[in-house]
Amino acid sequence: MPTLRISEKTKEALGEIFPAFNTGDDMVQELIKEAGYEDLLEEEKCFFVNSNKPHLPDDGTKIYKNDVVITHGPKKYGEKLGRLQKGDYVISYITGIGARALGKVKKEWNGNAVEDREQIYEQENNEYQVKVNWKIILTEEESLSPQELRETIGWKPSQAVQKISNEKEKEKIIKAFKNKI
C-alpha cells in the first residue's frame, strides 16, 4: 500500500480528532473509511483457480492464449469466479502438476456463461470466464509442483477457486513464480 506523509501539525490535529489511534496512517485510513472509500484500502487479493484438466480434452493451457481463467458446469462454479476483482492476482493450478501461471484480473465476471461461440472448450456444460493478463506462464516441467507449494506456503489448493488469505503466503507464492523466470 502506498505511504501517505502528513505534517506534524496535521498529525496533531488528527490526534485530537482520533485520540485512540497511534499513527497517522491509522487516522487517515479511518477517515477514508468514513468517507465511503473503504475499497481503496483493500490490498490486491490472490486466488488459485483450478484448470479442471481432468475434464478437458487437452492440457488446460488454452486459457493462457485466450487471456482468461475459466470454470465449467452449473452456475455455482461461475459464481466462484465472481470473487475475483479487477487487479487481483490469479494463479492457474493444474491438479497433479501444480501452479502453471500467474496473472492479474483485467475484467470481472459478468455473471453469465459465455456464448457457445466464445467458449474455449466446446463442451455441453456452461463455461464461465474472467479476463486475465497472464504475467508469468511456466511450462509443465517448470510449474510449482504440489510439493513445492507445500514447501512455499504450507498447503496446495483443493477447490475450484481458492483465496490465499494470508498476506505472507501471497508474497511467497508470487516470489516463487518470479524466481522461476
Side-chain angles (χ1 to χ4, degrees):
M1 177 174 275
T3 303
L4 177 66
R5 294 182 184 198
I6 58 175
S7 70
E8 286 303 315
K9 185 176 178 180
T10 303
K11 271 187 199 178
E12 286 177 30
L14 289 171
E16 291 174 22
I17 298 169
F18 297 104
F21 298 105
N22 295 325
T23 68
D25 283 347
D26 291 341
M27 292 179 248
V28 171
Q29 287 186 18
E30 186 61 31
L31 287 170
I32 290 169
K33 288 177 190 175
E34 286 183 8
Y37 295 100
E38 190 167 337
D39 59 316
L40 296 175
L41 300 175
E42 291 184 20
E43 294 287 324
E44 298 159 324
K45 296 179 211 81
C46 187
F47 294 86
F48 282 106
V49 179
N50 195 311
S51 72
N52 208 17
K53 179 186 175 207
H55 305 286
L56 299 175
D58 69 355
D59 63 359
T61 59
K62 282 185 181 180
I63 62 172
Y64 311 135
K65 295 176 192 114
N66 289 280
D67 294 322
V68 295
V69 67
I70 61 174
T71 59
H72 288 97
K75 190 165 185 171
K76 69 180 183 178
Y77 291 104
E79 291 168 350
K80 291 178 184 292
L81 289 178
R83 299 172 62 197
L84 307 175
Q85 302 295 308
K86 185 176 180 179
D88 286 346
Y89 285 97
V90 175
I91 298 170
S92 171
Y93 181 79
I94 300 175
T95 302
I97 294 173
R100 284 278 313 260
L102 173 70
K104 288 196 109 180
V105 174
K106 290 194 307 191
K107 188 175 178 184
E108 298 164 11
W109 183 54
N110 67 6
N112 299 307
V114 296
E115 299 289 325
D116 288 348
R117 68 186 188 304
E118 296 172 352
Q119 284 190 357
I120 306 294
Y121 296 100
E122 297 174 13
Q123 295 189 2
E124 291 180 19
N125 55 16
N126 291 326
E127 181 174 296
Y128 310 96
Q129 300 178 2
V130 168
K131 293 288 184 189
V132 174
N133 181 10
W134 294 109
K135 305 281 188 188
I136 300 172
I137 302 170
L138 303 173
T139 66
E140 188 171 318
E141 295 76 29
E142 296 170 324
S143 296
L144 294 167
S145 71
Q147 179 61 33
E148 285 178 285
L149 289 173
R150 280 189 209 93
E151 292 168 2
T152 303
I153 60 173
W155 55 280
K156 66 180 185 75
S158 60
Q159 301 171 20
V161 178
Q162 189 165 356
K163 181 180 174 186
I164 299 174
S165 55
N166 181 303
E167 189 66 24
K168 287 182 182 178
E169 289 175 358
K170 177 182 114 176
E171 291 171 10
K172 285 180 182 180
I173 191 81
I174 291 170
K175 184 178 178 183
F177 262 99
K178 289 179 179 177
N179 287 340
K180 290 277 188 170
I181 56 172

